[in-house]
Amino acid sequence: MPKYLILKHYQGGPEAPGFAPMNEWTPEEMEAHFQYQRDTIKMLQDAGEFVGAEGLAQTGNWVQYGGEGKPPHVLDGPFPETKELIAGWFVIDVESEARAHEVAAYVSKAPGKGGEPIFEWLEVRPIMSGPPPVE
Amino acid sequence: MTPIPEDLLREAARQVLGALVRRGADFAAAEDAVQEALLEATLKWPDAGVPKEPAAWLTTVAKRKLVDAQRADAARRHREANAALEPAAGPTEQSDDTLLLLFLCCHPALSPTLAVPLTLRAVGGLTTREIAEAYLLPEATIAQRISRAKKTIADLDLSGRGDPLGSSEPDKSQVLRVLYLIFNEGYTAGDRVDLAAEAIRLSRLLHAASPGPEVAGLLALMLLNHARRDARFDNGTLVPLDEQDRTRWDRAMIAEGVDLLQNALAEGRHGEYQIQAAIAALHDDAQASDETDWTQILAWYDELCQGTHNPLAELSRAVALGEVDGPLTGLRALDRIEERLTDYHRLHAVRAHLHERAGNTKEAAALFTKAADSATNEAERNHLLKRAARARPE
């Protein structure tokens, strides 16, 4: 049973045609979108495939080792030239890669403006497992 | 406070569940009842002491729970269990019960994802939490899988509940597959449940209840691999077979595996588990890696590939072929299976290994890196990265 990370980006992937950003949605459209996220988690829980899901705040810092005896370097993030921003993720444990893709496609179908699917791009990455079994 | 021996509870759990199901109790309801009885035992026994007949005690409690549950659910009342305490089952009945439970838990209608946790809980006597820890998953996820598995079984038409055992030569291949999957997941980190040891325990139960050459072959295969466990990891780092400290192999376990295997092979009905066990035995038999009898190993791989046409078996065969007829012959064999294993990291790794043996260090380093890039297992990836670094020409 492989685990997969389904990564949601704010930016970075190709934009779907006709995409309307969230600040153009009505409150009802937003609520429908949030409900879809909750339903997705419930669907994964009922299927026994849910491992975790988190959303990330858009604020944050870049931190680096500051050298012997010195405090860490802390910069306000993100770097201006960084186009990519991670919004959150699902972690699932599923039978196959095909099922992981199916789940990602389901997530991508979340309703947006006018209740139409937002066709969001999601990144699906296998999570490394522990030591291998029998050689 | 008297500590309860863990094995005692787990053994008794299986016996009680088996006895209830054999007497006609609904499997899903009985499994719930046994879990509740176990919980009650862990609460009461430390103070009250372990009863003289733990299985009988658990049976009584489980039956009471079953009746309670059925009273609460009027629709099920027609299946009301007999609350009277019946005499404990004899050894033969217990073996049959174990077999019945294994066939139910590994029923072909269940995907391995569902069959594995159900088998571990209902037959292995592990708790949901222990299973979740072993698989590094949330407890709720495992609980959900067990509940789905039980629902699937409840929906099956098992008219005559002994159905899976109905035939005189029941097909055990599904049970063997589930046990093998459990074994393959097994590793030894920390205080996590040792799934490999658990798979061996379950296979011993199956072997005692229903011996046969492939059952013995699977048990032997597990023992012959498990015997090398202490040498296979050094502080979390994978140590390949040819670099392992062979003095750390468990000789008693190897002897048991070889003995089982020889008796199985003597029956003259070879199957894939016996063949894989034979290959493992030949590796275990070599005092040093350069004393490995590759000619015999290759002969077993030939037989395995004839039977299965599995590209993974052919991949391993190419390694053996490289040892017997030289790396270039091994590489040619890989060309024939390449199409079926596109971008599989072990194909790149085997090709890299054969190139390294042929003295093509540049190709070897590039291929080891390629293999590391597509590996999804951390220990394996780290090992491949190191081999790439070692192969890289100065």
Side-chain angles (χ1 to χ4, degrees):
Chain A
M1 286 292 289
K3 289 197 181 87
Y4 288 88
L5 173 71
I6 299 180
L7 210 48
K8 291 166 76 76
H9 296 260
Y10 282 121
Q11 289 152 23
E15 200 160 281
F19 174 77
M22 206 178 240
N23 56 17
E24 297 172 16
W25 301 0
T26 67
E28 293 72 27
E29 286 164 351
M30 285 184 189
E31 182 47 36
H33 183 82
F34 301 145
Q35 186 59 43
Y36 191 88
Q37 307 298 328
R38 290 191 286 270
D39 290 347
T40 303
I41 290 175
K42 176 81 169 57
M43 181 272 288
L44 292 170
Q45 283 169 339
D46 290 348
E49 296 175 327
F50 183 77
V51 180
E54 306 286 353
L56 293 180
Q58 289 198 52
T59 56
N61 299 108
W62 285 81
V63 181
Q64 184 195 39
Y65 174 55
E68 187 62 44
K70 292 188 189 148
H73 283 151
V74 180
L75 297 175
D76 285 341
F79 288 125
E81 65 271 25
T82 307
K83 289 277 190 310
E84 197 176 318
L85 258 182
I86 294 165
W89 59 74
F90 294 90
V91 177
I92 55 174
D93 186 67
V94 289
E95 200 95 50
S96 63
E97 186 179 51
R99 173 62 186 154
H101 290 176
E102 198 176 291
V103 172
Y106 185 85
V107 173
S108 168
K109 208 179 68 179
K113 184 100 194 127
E116 291 297 314
I118 57 172
F119 291 100
E120 173 186 18
W121 283 95
L122 292 133
E123 190 179 356
V124 179
R125 303 275 295 268
I127 293 179
M128 291 260 183
S129 58
V134 194
E135 59 248 1
Chain B
M1 291 281 282
T2 328
I4 310 169
E6 194 184 329
D7 284 359
L8 184 145
L9 264 189
R10 294 172 51 186
E11 285 291 312
R14 187 188 73 251
Q15 291 167 13
V16 171
L17 177 59
L20 289 177
V21 172
R22 175 161 43 85
R23 285 168 203 161
D26 173 69
F27 173 77
E31 212 271 335
D32 284 338
V34 171
Q35 287 294 320
E36 287 180 45
L38 285 176
L39 183 64
E40 198 162 315
T42 55
L43 294 175
K44 287 192 174 160
W45 292 3
D47 291 328
V50 176
K52 217 176 271 165
E53 297 205 33
W57 188 99
L58 284 167
T59 306
T60 311
V61 175
K63 279 183 176 174
R64 201 179 65 230
K65 303 276 183 197
L66 202 51
V67 172
D68 287 351
Q70 282 157 348
R71 285 214 181 101
D73 181 2
R76 280 184 155 171
R77 200 169 288 177
H78 64 285
R79 311 194 71 157
E80 195 144 311
N82 171 13
L85 183 57
E86 292 173 34
T92 315
E93 281 176 311
Q94 283 184 14
S95 276
D96 290 349
D97 291 351
T98 300
L99 204 51
L100 172 63
L101 291 182
L102 277 172
F103 273 102
L104 276 174
C105 295
C106 304
H107 195 280
L110 297 173
S111 71
T113 332
L114 301 184
V116 163
L118 184 64
T119 303
L120 286 172
R121 196 169 91 164
V123 195
L126 296 184
T127 63
T128 309
R129 169 173 298 205
E130 286 170 327
I131 301 166
E133 282 172 3
Y135 285 90
L136 300 174
L137 287 171
E139 194 175 341
T141 298
I142 293 295
Q144 188 59 26
R145 285 182 192 175
I146 290 172
S147 123
R148 281 172 71 104
K150 282 158 67 171
K151 187 170 179 316
T152 307
I153 290 181
D155 291 346
L156 291 172
D157 180 20
L158 297 173
S159 37
R161 67 204 175 278
D163 187 47
L165 294 171
S167 115
S168 58
E169 188 81 8
D171 180 11
K172 283 179 277 198
S173 60
Q174 197 65 18
V175 177
L176 296 177
R177 180 159 170 257
V178 169
L179 297 182
Y180 188 52
L181 281 175
I182 294 172
F183 181 77
N184 261 339
E185 275 285 339
Y187 45 81
T188 58
D191 51 4
R192 244 179 263 147
V193 174
D194 185 347
L195 287 173
E198 192 56 37
I200 289 173
R201 202 176 74 90
L202 291 169
S203 299
R204 283 189 198 283
L205 288 173
L206 175 62
H207 186 249
S210 174
E214 275 295 81
V215 177
L218 177 64
L219 179 55
L221 173 62
M222 291 179 181
L223 293 169
L224 292 166
N225 273 296
H226 201 56
R228 297 187 219 124
R229 186 183 59 166
D230 288 346
R232 198 159 59 227
F233 284 101
D234 181 16
N235 211 0
T237 302
L238 181 65
V239 183
L241 189 52
D242 58 348
E243 292 172 22
Q244 285 174 19
D245 174 0
R246 294 176 184 230
T247 62
R248 293 177 69 193
W249 290 358
D250 185 335
R251 289 287 152 195
M253 202 179 278
I254 291 173
E256 188 194 352
V258 167
D259 194 47
L260 271 165
L261 175 66
Q262 279 171 343
N263 287 324
L265 290 174
E267 291 190 37
R269 286 182 290 153
H270 295 181
E272 56 174 317
Y273 295 115
Q274 291 170 77
I275 296 173
Q276 291 185 71
I279 293 164
L282 286 164
H283 282 300
D284 287 348
D285 194 42
Q287 297 295 319
S289 120
D290 57 9
E291 289 172 26
T292 308
D293 187 344
W294 285 105
T295 310
Q296 268 209 70
I297 290 177
L298 180 59
W300 282 115
Y301 273 123
D302 285 341
E303 189 173 336
L304 185 62
C305 291
Q306 269 171 21
T308 63
H309 298 288
N310 178 343
L312 296 180
E314 305 219 17
L315 189 58
S316 302
R317 180 181 170 273
V319 176
L321 191 62
E323 295 290 339
V324 176
D325 290 342
L328 297 179
T329 314
L331 283 168
R332 273 197 296 278
L334 287 184
D335 292 339
R336 288 197 296 273
I337 52 170
E338 187 169 24
E339 251 175 46
R340 285 182 287 162
L341 290 171
T342 28
D343 211 34
Y344 179 59
H345 67 279
R346 291 210 177 120
L347 172 68
H348 305 317
V350 168
R351 180 166 279 147
H353 168 78
L354 291 168
H355 271 299
E356 189 176 40
R357 285 183 50 88
N360 309 328
T361 50
K362 215 172 132 197
E363 287 89 340
L367 283 163
F368 275 128
T369 307
K370 192 173 172 188
D373 285 347
S374 48
T376 55
N377 179 295
E378 216 165 338
E380 214 172 344
R381 187 207 42 190
N382 295 347
H383 170 69
L384 290 166
L385 286 173
K386 278 190 273 182
R387 285 202 69 174
R390 231 181 290 160
R392 212 163 283 140
E394 296 289 315

